[in-house]
Amino acid sequence: MNIGEILKNLWNDSGFHLFGGDSGWQSIVMIIVALFFLYLGIKKKFEPLLLVGIAFGMLLTNLPGSGMFHSEWWTVENIDYVDILRHGGLLDILYIGVKTGVYPCLIFMGVGAMTDFGPMLSRPSSLILGAAAQGGIYLVLILAAATGMFTGGEAASISIIAGADGPTAIFLTKTLAPQLLAPIAVAAYSYMALIPLLQPPFMKLLTTKKERMAVMTTTRKVSKKEKIIFPILVTIIVSLLLPSVAPLLGSLMFGNLLKECGVTERLSDTAQNALMNIVTLFLGISVGATAVGSVFLTTKTLLIIVLGLAGFVLATICGLLIGKLLYVISKGKINPLIGSAGVSAVPMAARVSNTVGLQYNKGNYLLMHAMGPNVAGVIGSAVAAGFLLAVFGA
Amino acid sequence: MSGYILGAILDKESPLNVVDALLLALIGIAIVFLVLIALMLIVSLVGKIFDGSAKLQEEHPEWGEKISSFKAKLMFWKKPQPSDEQPPQLAKGTCGELTLINCEERDAAMIMAIVADSLNTPLNELRFKSIKRVED
């Protein structure tokens, strides 16, 4: 027995030695990025439920030699799922849920079970604000095309970051540009976490003090029957108009129906707690796993990060501008600050509207009023994604 | 023109050009607005129907009674179902025949006590025929 040979082989097999390979520096950079995200998630509490999972997945996938995720298996035309189940690593197997679009739909089911559409139903004009904020998506589509670096599918996937809707971004990207899933998912969730920092400067810049102080009155009471009818109606109408969005929107509305119908409390509870937690766990870690250094560290990634940021800002501006228009039309009865909540980051964007409103008029609680455009934004971004899927997914 | 645009868009290899992106953006935002405005109209309509129906019932309580009697007639003609054949639940310990419909005994006792108190009449001088929980 040659002890020296054994030790040498052990060293050659170790991740430390593999760092010296061609993509070793990229792995080291990604591990540093993963540690930074862990810091943001744990210490700064930036969307920790997702960011901690994404960061840890990123860390695991960039440890050389661990074999937990094989990015090359997922970029081929015909994916061999049986082979993946036989020989894949843990993260490969968890990633099947992302690749098949199961996780985003299950997340939407949980979101639906947690969402109260009451504020939107009591003030239907909220839907206009939800639509307006989607302007950011299409402005980013134009910007992405202007760079000349992205195909239609890639540009569409990047543009959906502006919808501020993580599951929709993943759902669209896994179909149109799977190779960009990691940077797009990371950008979408990171900016969602940064909404309290990103939106207020533009909210203050684009509105006057008088507008920010506008008090909104309570709207009509929504009956239980209306709340039950709404998810059924939306599912039928939107899915008939844009069938490609049926899995996402159908899941969202099914979750909501479980909550509202009053006879499926157990299922509603499971959808919004146990199921949501399990899927968030799997989604976070497997999305993070796609951030393999050799694939992630490119000029395109940097551009995606910049375009995503532009998208969030543009979506906020579009929502605010239409909010100002509604302020004028309603003769001051609608506070334009709720326009920025039209981006679909629920409920962060609505909370930001409330916080900024309270800064200028103590006692003016806008949270419930802002929840209307906020949940309308979820529907709006799903519709936008359905359109992009219909065009580029053909 | 449309053929050219679609051809360029569906070409997955070549970059998307700005003119096509602009056209798509216009169509896309128009569709988002159309769908959400359609939903807004439907939501408003449904809301008006529900509000109107509640208002009508307030203004014309006799219509509500007519509807109830019509429903009762319908129930009379309805073929008895196994669940319908179950005898009505009688409140324990009462000499009368109080029928509880979707109502717990505890709730019924509370209601009877409240009614007796507000009428300032002893409970044994009142006769309750039935107590029914009205769904929202």
Side-chain angles (χ1 to χ4, degrees), chain A residues 212-215 335 354 356-365:
Chain A
R212 292 193 286 269
M213 289 176 71
V215 177
N335 190 317
N354 185 53
V356 177
L358 281 175
Q359 283 171 8
Y360 291 90
N361 187 355
K362 286 188 171 50
N364 186 16
Y365 292 95

Side-chain angles (χ1 to χ4, degrees), chain A residues 250-304:
Chain A
S251 302
L252 179 78
M253 292 301 152
F254 175 55
N256 189 251
L257 185 63
L258 291 179
K259 174 182 181 282
E260 299 296 353
C261 70
V263 290
T264 54
E265 280 93 353
R266 278 166 52 196
L267 299 183
S268 168
D269 177 58
T270 303
Q272 51 184 294
N273 295 301
L275 181 68
M276 185 77 166
N277 290 342
I278 290 168
V279 180
T280 304
L281 203 72
F282 289 173
L283 181 77
I285 203 163
S286 48
V287 162
T290 59
V292 180
S294 53
V295 183
F296 194 85
L297 293 174
T298 60
T299 321
K300 276 190 173 179
T301 302
L302 198 66
L303 258 177
I304 290 167

Side-chain angles (χ1 to χ4, degrees), chain A residues 8-273:
Chain A
K8 192 184 169 193
N9 285 343
L10 203 61
W11 168 250
N12 286 341
D13 284 348
S14 77
F16 289 109
H17 178 256
L18 294 170
F19 273 134
D22 288 342
S23 58
W25 69 271
Q26 290 163 322
S27 298
I28 293 170
V29 171
M30 289 311 295
I31 288 172
I32 294 168
V33 173
L35 294 175
F36 177 64
F37 278 155
L38 279 174
Y39 167 77
L40 288 182
I42 297 167
K43 181 74 180 172
K44 297 287 179 186
K45 295 188 172 57
F46 283 171
E47 198 80 5
L49 295 178
L50 270 161
L51 206 55
V52 171
I54 290 175
F56 210 80
M58 206 182 276
L59 178 70
L60 287 173
T61 201
N62 284 289
L63 294 172
S66 66
M68 294 180 82
F69 186 74
H70 302 84
S71 57
E72 67 278 9
W73 291 0
W74 300 99
T75 46
V76 294
E77 189 75 17
N78 294 312
I79 297 167
D80 188 347
Y81 286 102
V82 176
D83 196 50
I84 288 169
L85 283 170
R86 275 190 192 145
H87 307 294
L90 171 69
L91 298 179
D92 285 313
I93 291 165
L94 292 182
Y95 187 66
I96 292 172
V98 176
K99 191 69 192 170
T100 52
V102 170
Y103 294 158
C105 293
L106 292 178
I107 291 267
F108 253 43
M109 199 185 289
V111 171
M114 288 194 282
T115 302
D116 179 10
F117 282 104
M120 194 197 76
L121 295 174
S122 67
R123 194 188 295 275
S125 61
S126 304
L127 281 151
I128 302 274
L129 294 169
Q134 309 315 315
I137 293 176
Y138 295 105
L139 290 172
V140 172
L141 183 75
I142 298 167
L143 288 178
T147 64
M149 287 181 67
F150 301 105
T151 62
E154 288 175 340
S157 302
I158 295 164
S159 69
I160 206 72
I161 299 174
D165 190 339
T168 305
I170 291 171
F171 188 79
L172 189 78
T173 309
K174 65 97 187 165
T175 310
L176 300 184
Q179 70 282 8
L180 297 183
L181 187 57
I184 287 174
V186 169
Y189 280 110
S190 307
Y191 290 138
M192 276 166 70
L194 292 173
I195 270 189
L197 294 176
L198 291 174
Q199 286 194 322
F202 295 95
M203 294 163 81
K204 290 171 189 172
L205 189 72
L206 291 170
T207 53
T208 64
K209 195 176 175 188
K210 190 185 168 198
E211 286 170 344
R212 292 193 286 269
M213 289 176 71
V215 177
M216 292 180 72
T217 49
T218 326
T219 43
R220 57 178 279 272
K221 194 175 177 290
V222 179
S223 72
K224 189 144 190 77
K225 279 179 191 164
E226 279 177 81
K227 287 187 177 180
I228 293 172
I229 290 170
F230 177 72
I232 301 168
L233 265 180
V234 172
T235 306
I236 294 170
I237 294 167
V238 181
S239 300
L240 285 176
L241 280 171
L242 293 163
S244 53
V245 83
L248 265 187
L249 207 74
S251 302
L252 179 78
M253 292 301 152
F254 175 55
N256 189 251
L257 185 63
L258 291 179
K259 174 182 181 282
E260 299 296 353
C261 70
V263 290
T264 54
E265 280 93 353
R266 278 166 52 196
L267 299 183
S268 168
D269 177 58
T270 303
Q272 51 184 294
N273 295 301

